[in-house]
Amino acid sequence: MSTNVRYSVIIPMFNEEAVIQETYRRIKKVMGTIGESYELLFVNDGSTDNCAQMIEEYSYWDESVKLIDLSRNFGHQIAITAGMDYSLGDAVIIIDADLQDPPELILKMIEEWKKGYEVVYAKRIKRNGESLFKKWTASVFYRILRYSTDISIPVDTGDFRLIDRKVCDELKRLPEKNRFVRGLVSWVGFRQKAIEYERDERLAGETKYPLKRMIKLSLDGITSFSYKPLKLAGYLGGLLSAGGFLYLMYVLYLALFTDAAVKGWASMIGITLTFNGFVLIMLGILGEYVGRIYDETKGRPLYIVQEFYGGRVQKTVQEPQVAQLNK
């Protein structure tokens, strides 16, 4: 393969043994129709199954396949970042390994890129195979994020997109640790265009974004691009303090100028608990921001690569295995 790579396809993977062979086959088939040079960058994000070993074997006889084997699980967004750091292509394509995003859409992305768009992202108009709860929470998150930030982050989009080399180079200059890649792509700007599609059901395996990881991703997105939660906490604190002061004046009025007994200690306790709860929530919001500041000051690398495979052809794999994979 020429050292001049036209397209780099980044495929982050975490325990995708059940689907990785079909992922490789479909992406390979799509890229083979383009007629230009390309590389397939599989990023192993600390998998405990055999998906990394499978990709390593593919790299022995397919020189387009490269494996970036991270030393542990650093997270999906960091795995994408590692792929961008190692990519060589004029255009960089990001796609997950679970085949919920159809590789065939890459061809349309390339068409729009050749028309002059530096970012071409896939926008979901339908999400097949996902629960109503996940669809609803995803919809709410994207709209909260759009309202909270000062930049325009497209709703109903994931990381499935094509970015130009100049965009990739700008993203590599952004050093923050708690990364939200789709937000960073919007932040750097450039000419962007959406392509609508229906997201497929996962082919095999289990989702790598359970509720806990979805919450963390949401917090990373909101805190990375907005300080409105801090302002909102301040506004609510002022409102509740004003309400508490007025109630205190009312109690003092009853005690000093009327014969009515001061009642309502239960309500006073309730109000006290409400105020204390609000204070704890505000401290939690502050803690999220302070924790991210602490992460940035430590200066640790985003990831550690323990092995890199690819860019060579080895004749150690029997021909029948190659033929089987290309069926």
Side-chain angles (χ1 to χ4, degrees):
M1 176 180 287
S2 170
T3 56
N4 296 322
V5 179
R6 185 64 165 165
Y7 303 104
S8 297
V9 184
I10 300 171
I11 309 108
M13 58 182 187
F14 176 65
N15 293 340
E16 298 289 1
E17 180 181 1
V19 71
I20 199 64
Q21 180 171 321
E22 180 64 12
T23 300
Y24 166 76
R25 187 192 68 81
R26 284 182 59 181
I27 295 178
K28 183 75 176 177
K29 181 179 178 181
V30 169
M31 300 307 296
T33 64
I34 297 175
E36 298 178 272
S37 60
Y38 64 90
E39 61 179 357
L40 305 181
L41 289 166
F42 290 86
V43 185
N44 177 39
D45 189 25
S47 300
T48 56
D49 62 6
N50 293 320
C51 63
Q53 289 81 355
M54 294 171 66
I55 297 301
E56 179 186 348
E57 291 179 4
Y58 297 170
S59 71
Y60 292 157
W61 50 266
D62 185 347
E63 60 180 339
S64 69
V65 174
K66 300 176 182 179
L67 172 64
I68 304 168
D69 191 12
L70 303 186
S71 61
R72 64 170 177 84
N73 178 254
F74 288 90
H76 181 257
Q77 302 295 291
I78 300 299
I80 292 174
T81 302
M84 289 191 292
D85 290 344
Y86 276 75
S87 65
L88 302 174
D90 298 326
V92 178
I93 301 153
I94 304 167
I95 183 171
D96 288 339
D98 56 16
L99 290 181
Q100 287 188 273
D101 301 321
E104 293 73 19
L105 199 63
I106 292 175
L107 299 177
K108 292 184 179 181
M109 291 181 173
I110 292 175
E111 288 179 10
E112 298 300 330
W113 174 64
K114 289 183 176 180
K115 292 178 183 178
Y117 291 99
E118 283 102 352
V119 177
V120 184
Y121 58 88
K123 181 176 181 180
R124 305 159 183 160
I125 58 175
K126 188 176 181 181
R127 303 166 68 107
N128 298 314
E130 295 183 355
S131 65
L132 290 176
F133 176 75
K134 186 169 185 178
K135 293 178 182 178
W136 177 79
T137 53
S139 177
V140 169
F141 160 68
Y142 284 118
R143 280 145 187 86
I144 291 177
L145 184 63
R146 181 174 61 179
Y147 170 77
S148 301
T149 60
D150 297 326
I151 61 173
S152 178
I153 300 177
V155 299
D156 302 324
T157 61
D159 295 307
F160 184 28
R161 63 191 60 221
L162 178 150
I163 61 175
D164 188 83
R165 168 49 53 186
K166 67 180 73 171
V167 179
C168 183
D169 289 342
E170 292 301 325
L171 290 172
K172 289 164 66 174
R173 295 174 55 204
L174 306 180
E176 54 250 54
K177 304 295 188 294
N178 297 284
R179 302 179 72 81
F180 185 64
V181 173
R182 67 200 74 166
L184 294 175
V185 173
S186 296
W187 184 86
V188 298
F190 296 98
R191 289 169 292 179
Q192 306 196 9
K193 183 172 183 179
I195 295 179
E196 295 183 341
Y197 77 111
E198 292 188 11
R199 198 174 199 217
D200 296 330
E201 185 176 357
R202 168 179 272 274
L203 181 65
E206 299 179 353
T207 178
K208 303 308 182 294
Y209 264 100
L211 182 60
K212 181 179 178 181
R213 288 200 174 190
M214 286 296 296
I215 292 174
K216 183 184 183 304
L217 181 65
S218 301
L219 291 175
D220 288 342
I222 293 173
T223 56
S224 295
F225 296 95
S226 175
Y227 55 85
K228 286 184 179 179
L230 293 174
K231 295 177 67 176
L232 180 61
Y235 294 149
L236 290 177
L239 181 62
L240 289 175
S241 296
F245 178 77
L246 292 175
Y247 186 78
L248 177 61
M249 292 298 100
Y250 171 70
V251 171
L252 289 175
Y253 170 78
L254 291 179
L256 297 175
F257 301 105
T258 70
D259 295 331
V262 179
K263 299 180 181 180
W265 291 109
S267 60
M268 287 291 292
I269 293 297
I271 292 174
T272 301
L273 291 175
T274 301
F275 272 84
N276 290 340
F278 171 75
V279 170
L280 291 175
I281 292 173
M282 188 167 61
L283 288 175
I285 295 174
L286 288 170
E288 287 291 333
Y289 283 90
V290 172
R292 281 157 173 73
I293 294 172
Y294 176 61
D295 283 341
E296 298 298 330
T297 59
K298 287 186 289 189
R300 295 174 183 172
L302 289 176
Y303 57 86
I304 298 174
V305 176
Q306 65 177 355
E307 294 288 351
F308 179 84
Y309 301 93
R312 63 191 184 281
V313 179
Q314 297 183 4
K315 302 300 183 181
T316 58
V317 180
Q318 297 178 359
E319 192 66 27
Q321 292 178 279
V322 178
Q324 182 180 5
L325 288 172
N326 286 319
K327 284 184 179 180

